């Protein structure tokens, strides 16, 4: 297994719209290794979700584990939200926007349809943190980041803060 580098805002590659996965690809070693490496990278970060876009793979899938014990791995391939209701504000963070947290309003309850890591279709009703995380990861697959929900001024402040932090890290 391997830790993968995570792209960081404002890297333009994070704006790539990911393409649907060919289910036949899931039968191969490359896909299965990538899922394992993404879980390892996510757990190490640590984070509760990781979209392929964040590791510069522009295919429509993500890994999620919102459990306390870090023992409930979920893979969503070609995810589609087929129903949404309600509104909820959650303070979000992102491994691609390190150290920044901001409130985002999203649907409170969703139903998502996807394939699992072996290509089996499933449908899942989610609320709470899992619903937030699924919506956050699907945004990544569409080239969207949680800072896009902030005002342009706040987003510019985020960009400057990250640039300053990188200069301090390099010094
Ligand atoms: O680890 C993460 N935590 C988190 C907290 C609130 C809302 C969304 C998230 S997802 C984030 C990991 C990440 O960046 N996934 O893309
Ligand atoms: Ni993120």
């Amino acid at each position: 297994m391997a830790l993968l580098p995570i792209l960081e805002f404002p890297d333009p590659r994070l704006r790539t719209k990911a393409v649907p996965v060919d289910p036949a690809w899931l039968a191969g070693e490359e896909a299965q290794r990538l899922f394992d490496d993404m879980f390892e990278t996510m757990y190490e970060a640590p984070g509760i979700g990781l979209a392929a876009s964040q590791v510069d793979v522009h295919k429509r899938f993500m890994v999620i584990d919102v459990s306390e014990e870090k023992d409930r791995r979920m893979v969503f391939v070609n995810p589609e939200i087929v129903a949404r209701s309600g509104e909820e504000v959650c303070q979000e963070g992102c491994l691609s926007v390190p150290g920044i947290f901001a409130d985002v309003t999203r649907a409170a309850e969703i139903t998502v349809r996807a394939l699992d890591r072996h290509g089996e279709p499933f449908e899942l009703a989610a609320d709470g943190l899992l619903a937030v995380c699924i919506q956050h990861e699907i945004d990544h697959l569409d080239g969207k980041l949680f800072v896009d929900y902030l005002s342009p001024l706040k987003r510019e402040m985020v960009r400057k803060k990250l640039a300053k932090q990188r200069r301090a890290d390099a010094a």
Side-chain angles (χ1 to χ4, degrees):
M1 294 221 282
L3 293 178
L4 306 171
I6 297 176
L7 300 179
E8 293 187 0
F9 176 74
D11 193 312
R13 290 172 291 180
L14 286 168
R15 299 310 188 175
T16 312
K17 185 161 167 66
V19 301
V21 169
D22 175 353
W25 180 70
L26 300 172
E29 250 176 55
E30 184 199 358
Q32 298 301 319
R33 187 175 331 114
L34 197 48
F35 296 143
D36 291 339
D37 288 348
M38 282 176 59
F39 276 114
E40 189 182 9
T41 302
M42 178 189 83
Y43 288 132
E44 203 268 344
I48 58 171
L50 189 67
S53 317
Q54 291 177 278
V55 294
D56 206 19
V57 174
H58 302 287
K59 295 182 198 277
R60 301 190 74 81
F61 69 89
M62 68 243 195
V63 302
I64 290 181
D65 186 344
V66 296
S67 71
E68 292 283 334
E69 308 293 331
K70 296 292 149 210
D71 59 357
R72 285 216 285 280
R73 292 177 180 226
M74 310 176 87
V75 176
F76 296 78
V77 176
N78 297 341
E80 304 272 3
I81 294 175
V82 294
R84 61 183 87 221
S85 62
E87 269 193 8
E88 196 165 43
V89 180
C90 175
Q91 177 165 285
E92 299 197 13
C94 181
L95 298 174
S96 296
V97 195
I100 307 290
F101 301 90
D103 284 351
V104 179
T105 305
R106 299 193 188 268
E109 297 104 25
I110 60 169
T111 303
V112 63
R113 205 174 278 164
L115 305 179
D116 70 12
R117 65 186 291 165
H118 305 295
E120 284 300 317
F122 67 96
E123 199 174 277
L124 176 78
D127 61 9
L129 190 57
L130 179 57
V132 171
C133 191
I134 290 168
Q135 293 172 82
H136 175 114
E137 304 312 338
I138 292 176
D139 270 356
H140 276 300
L141 302 180
D142 290 326
K144 189 160 182 167
L145 301 173
F146 85 99
V147 293
D148 298 346
Y149 295 99
L150 307 179
S151 69
L153 178 65
K154 279 194 183 159
R155 193 159 50 252
E156 185 57 16
M157 284 167 57
V158 167
R159 193 188 61 72
K160 285 190 175 140
K161 188 174 171 187
L162 289 179
K164 187 175 173 189
Q165 189 55 51
R166 279 186 204 109
R167 281 196 303 279
D169 291 345

